[in-house]
């Protein structure tokens, strides 16, 4: 290869190095131009034109002429001197213009690179969200609320999306971010090199969101594998993920390792639908406990209660409802036996609006013994339920209903196609039937003899898009409510919704309860990301074999119409080995945003409940 070709190849390679190399070449060209003109002035200009200036001063003057073309305006001398000054000025114009263009282009390229979201985040104590779905808006909104009164926080989102597009959607859907800064990065959570953009080693928590599509759990499991096999240079952050299909839960646990917190989204949705079937309002209670705008669950040390039984704590607080104990060894006991002694190092698990509001009462509120109900309690009886629609969760809902209802109960499935396999399965307490029906057809619904049912469950169609499924559900609800009004024989309506915004529209139907499982899962993930100790609390509450939230008839605790206080309700619940957390007023069950649910009421506040109201307790199923 000829030397000329070698030099050309070397020059081209340096030019490919970007803006710094171009600036270097322009600087070198400027230096050569000034040196050459200075030498020519020294050799050919007259002594008069050169004056008494030494060589360094001539070099400086020529450099100024190259940088500032206006400098030559005052030059005088013979033609040779003026020509050289003109040459250095014109050369300077070209060089300075080129330099400005190179710098401008470099800045534009750098800005474009930054807009691609490929730079590494340098931060500590931040929350990392891996993946992109509608859940991200709920999660960020809750993180903003959680940090509203604290110091500035950071949320880093890594998804295979355009950075600017993600930022625009977050701004439109979430709105004011308050003291929280959201940093978006474009990259795939399924690639190890992209994960490193989020500064995982210094993160406080990591949330893995399920993407849209049929294979969502596969992506979640792979991300968990990457995180579990990663070599951490610091303490591993709190990792939270949700699995959509219960059958994938075991594989996800194996992939994530023992320290990650996994949520069975499908199981929680099934339980909410089945439990709300007999106690509407459950999802409203769960939403209030899980979001950061109302009551939350705190771990509160209370040395004054050490050595006393847990039952005494129920009436010890003016504000705050104790629901369990976080023992010194990290184990959680929700609704423990009332005789359980609070030991040194134990923390009281308390429901409160803010941990600063949790305080012991100076004088415990008085208990009105005459207002406590002497009834044995509500005795459930067999009932008839209509299941409108069908989806992938329906068979498990039927299985759970079979465990919850009384023997002799009936469930009729009203759907376009008969689920032969699910209906053929033998069950202990349920008798199953099928009635062909298009859920959106008024005529088909009227032929179902709706007046003969006590409860109606409307399932969302998971074979079509979420918004379209909610639209069909809304039409079904309108028909059901109008038919119920004309029959004058009320039945409860429990329904699934995919989008919480659609639930607000559907309030006109006056359904008794809406189950927005995607939103509840997002809220639950955010709570666990903020406080890993809550995993044991919620695991117990959503475990079929543990204590769970129940809405029971108020007449089981207070005499209907009797004036009392919530302290009296707490005492009545304590005698049943139950932990009270609030009540629901039937007359307000259609009023947003709480739908009649009141959690953590003041113990001394006057209270009168009717036979149609409910007391919200945590009790063994």
């Amino acid at each position: 290869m000829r030397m000329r070709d070698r030099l050309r190849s070397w020059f081209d390679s340096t030019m490919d190095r970007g803006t710094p190399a171009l600036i270097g070449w322009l600087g070198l060209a400027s230096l050569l131009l000034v040196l050459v003109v200075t030498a020519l002035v020294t050799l050919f200009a007259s002594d008069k034109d050169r004056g008494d200036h030494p060589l360094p001063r001539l070099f400086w003057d020529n450099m100024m002429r190259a940088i500032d073309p206006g400098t030559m305006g005052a030059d005088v001398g013979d033609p040779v001197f003026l020509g050289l000054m003109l040459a250095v000025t014109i050369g300077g114009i070209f060089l300075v213009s080129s330099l400005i263009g190179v710098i401008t282009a470099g800045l534009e390229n750098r800005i474009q690179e930054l807009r691609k979201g490929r730079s590494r985040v340098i931060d500590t104590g931040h929350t990392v969200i891996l993946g992109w779905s509608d859940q991200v808006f709920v999660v960020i909104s809750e993180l903003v609320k959680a940090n509203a009164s604290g110091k500035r926080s950071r949320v880093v989102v890594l998804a295979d999306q355009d950075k600017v597009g993600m930022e625009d959607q977050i701004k439109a859907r979430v709105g004011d971010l308050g003291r929280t800064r959201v940093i978006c990065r474009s990259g795939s959570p399924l690639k190890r090199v992209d994960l490193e953009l989020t500064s995982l080693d210094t993160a406080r928590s990591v949330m893995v969101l399920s993407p849209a599509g049929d294979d969502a759990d596969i992506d979640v499991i792979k991300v968990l594998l990457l995180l579990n096999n990663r070599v951490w240079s610091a303490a591993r952050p709190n990792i939270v993920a949700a699995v959509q299909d219960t059958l994938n839960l075991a594989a996800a646990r194996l992939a994530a390792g023992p320290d990650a917190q996994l949520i069975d989204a499908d199981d929680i949705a099934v339980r909410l639908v089945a439990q709300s079937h007999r106690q509407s309002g459950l999802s409203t209670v769960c939403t209030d406990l899980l979001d950061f705008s109302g009551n939350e669950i705190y771990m509160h040390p209370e040395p004054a209660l050490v050595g006393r039984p847990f039952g005494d704590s129920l009436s010890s607080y003016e504000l705050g409802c104790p629901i369990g104990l976080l023992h010194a060894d990290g184990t959680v006991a929700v609704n423990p036996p009332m005789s359980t002694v609070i030991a040194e190092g134990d923390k009281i698990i308390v429901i409160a609006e803010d941990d600063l509001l949790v305080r012991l009462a100076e004088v415990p509120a008085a208990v009105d013994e005459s207002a406590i109900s002497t009834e044995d309690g509500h005795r459930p009886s067999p009932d008839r339920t209509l299941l409108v629609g069908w989806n992938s969760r329906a068979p498990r809902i039927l299985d759970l209903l079979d465990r919850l209802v009384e023997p002799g109960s009936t469930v009729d499935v009203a759907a376009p196609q008969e689920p032969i396999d699910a209906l053929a399965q033998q069950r202990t307490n349920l008798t199953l039937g099928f009635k062909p029906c298009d859920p959106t057809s008024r005529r088909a619904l009227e032929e179902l003899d709706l007046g003969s049912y006590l409860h109606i469950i409307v399932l969302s169609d998971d074979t079509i898009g979420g918004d379209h499924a909610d639209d069909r559900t809304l039409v079904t609800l309108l028909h059901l409510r109008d038919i119920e009004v004309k029959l004058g024989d009320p039945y409860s309506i429990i329904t699934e919704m995919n989008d919480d915004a659609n639930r607000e529209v559907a309030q006109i139907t006056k359904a008794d309860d809406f189950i927005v499982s995607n939103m509840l899962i997002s809220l639950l993930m955010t709570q666990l990301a903020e406080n890993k100790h809550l995993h044991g609390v919620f695991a117990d509450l959503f475990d079929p074999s543990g204590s769970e939230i129940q809405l029971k008839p108020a007449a089981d605790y207070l005499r209907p119409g009797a004036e009392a206080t919530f302290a009296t309700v707490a005492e009545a619940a304590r005698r049943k080995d139950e932990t009270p957390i609030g009540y629901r007023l039937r007359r307000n069950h259609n009023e947003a945003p709480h739908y009649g649910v009141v959690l953590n009421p003041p113990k001394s506040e006057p209270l009168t409940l009717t036979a149609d109201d409910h007391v919200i307790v945590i009790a063994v199923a």
Side-chain angles (χ1 to χ4, degrees), residues 548-559:
E548 61 186 19
I549 300 172
Q550 300 182 31
L551 286 83
K552 294 190 173 183
D556 292 355
Y557 303 88
L558 295 182
R559 290 187 296 105

Side-chain angles (χ1 to χ4, degrees), residues 140-149 180 291-293 296 523:
I140 293 177
S141 177
E142 291 303 307
L143 290 174
V144 169
K145 296 175 185 177
N147 298 302
S149 59
T180 300
D291 67 19
F292 286 94
S293 59
E296 303 170 42
L523 296 177

Side-chain angles (χ1 to χ4, degrees), residues 12 50 79 81 170 180 341-342 360 372 423 485 498 501 519:
D12 291 343
R50 288 199 311 271
F81 178 77
I170 291 172
T180 300
V341 177
I342 301 173
L360 293 174
I372 297 179
L423 297 183
V485 170
N498 294 290
M519 183 192 69

Side-chain angles (χ1 to χ4, degrees), residues 509-558:
T509 65
K510 297 183 179 180
D512 294 84
D513 204 0
F514 294 89
I515 310 300
V516 190
S517 56
N518 287 337
M519 183 192 69
L520 290 173
I521 296 302
S522 301
L523 296 177
L524 178 56
M525 291 181 65
T526 310
Q527 288 281 351
L528 297 182
E530 289 292 292
N531 185 354
K532 64 181 181 180
H533 294 298
L534 291 177
H535 184 267
V537 177
F538 291 118
D540 200 338
L541 289 177
F542 289 111
D543 186 351
S545 61
S547 296
E548 61 186 19
I549 300 172
Q550 300 182 31
L551 286 83
K552 294 190 173 183
D556 292 355
Y557 303 88
L558 295 182

